[in-house]
Amino acid sequence: MEIINWLNANDGAIIGIATLVLVSITICYTYKDTANRKYERSFSLDFAEGVGFSQVGRPPLYDIVKVTKEIQKDLQRIATGSYKPMVLTEPLSEHRRGQFASSLEIRIEQFSSELQQEILREIDLIVSKREQETRDKEQNEKTTMDTNAS
């Protein structure tokens, strides 16, 4: 038997308590996209396959219930607004690159403005050097391909 608190998705308040045998659970959620179109999705977790099995040690349904409780806690935090999931609208590699750039910017801002300017000049010099190396490499590859084609 498992006690489940049913939550009101608007404010997270407990609106009822039920005692039941956990066999399956269906989670429904709705969301809107940037164009304000509403979507509804649902998924089911079916625990009926494990009911009535004998086992040695802790029952597998125990682990399933434990994970389900964690899902319930996460959903409650989202419903109450105490946790806001991060939704990426860019590739993960770009997001990580942006985070890294932001952390470097914060570190550089801790220095005096003269030192900041010096650091930025050095970075600009390094970037310019790499760009020139890339152009030279591309030119060499093109020249080699033209020579081989002749």
Side-chain angles (χ1 to χ4, degrees):
M1 298 286 205
E2 184 64 35
I3 296 176
I4 297 178
N5 297 324
W6 299 99
L7 300 176
N8 179 337
N10 292 330
D11 61 6
I14 296 174
I15 58 173
I17 298 177
T19 303
L20 52 99
V21 175
L22 190 58
V23 175
S24 70
I25 185 169
T26 301
I27 299 173
C28 300
Y29 58 97
T30 60
Y31 60 94
K32 292 181 181 178
D33 64 8
T34 55
N36 211 24
R37 289 182 295 240
K38 187 175 180 181
Y39 296 92
E40 292 185 22
R41 301 284 189 264
S42 65
F43 61 93
S44 297
L45 302 173
D46 186 9
F47 308 114
E49 295 176 6
V51 173
F53 279 105
S54 298
Q55 72 283 330
V56 176
R58 186 167 63 191
L61 282 178
Y62 174 82
D63 292 330
I64 294 171
V65 168
K66 184 178 174 184
V67 171
T68 304
K69 282 182 181 180
E70 291 189 26
I71 292 171
Q72 179 187 13
K73 287 179 188 175
D74 289 341
L75 290 174
Q76 181 179 11
R77 285 186 292 208
I78 292 170
T80 60
S82 64
Y83 171 78
K84 296 189 181 190
M86 182 171 57
V87 179
L88 295 179
T89 57
E90 61 189 352
L92 183 58
S93 60
E94 287 182 27
H95 175 73
R96 288 186 176 151
R97 193 174 323 128
Q99 283 183 318
F100 182 69
S102 295
S103 69
L104 284 176
E105 184 178 3
I106 290 169
R107 289 173 59 194
I108 291 171
E109 287 175 350
Q110 295 174 2
F111 296 110
S112 67
S113 61
E114 295 84 24
L115 193 50
Q116 288 179 20
Q117 292 302 318
E118 183 181 336
I119 291 169
L120 292 175
R121 279 192 299 272
E122 289 178 20
I123 291 172
D124 188 46
L125 205 75
I126 292 169
V127 170
S128 296
K129 181 180 174 186
R130 297 290 184 205
E131 288 174 339
Q132 184 62 44
E133 289 173 358
T134 303
R135 284 192 297 270
D136 291 346
K137 182 179 176 183
E138 289 173 353
Q139 184 62 35
N140 288 340
E141 288 174 355
K142 185 178 178 186
T143 304
T144 302
M145 287 179 15
D146 289 346
T147 304
N148 291 340
S150 299

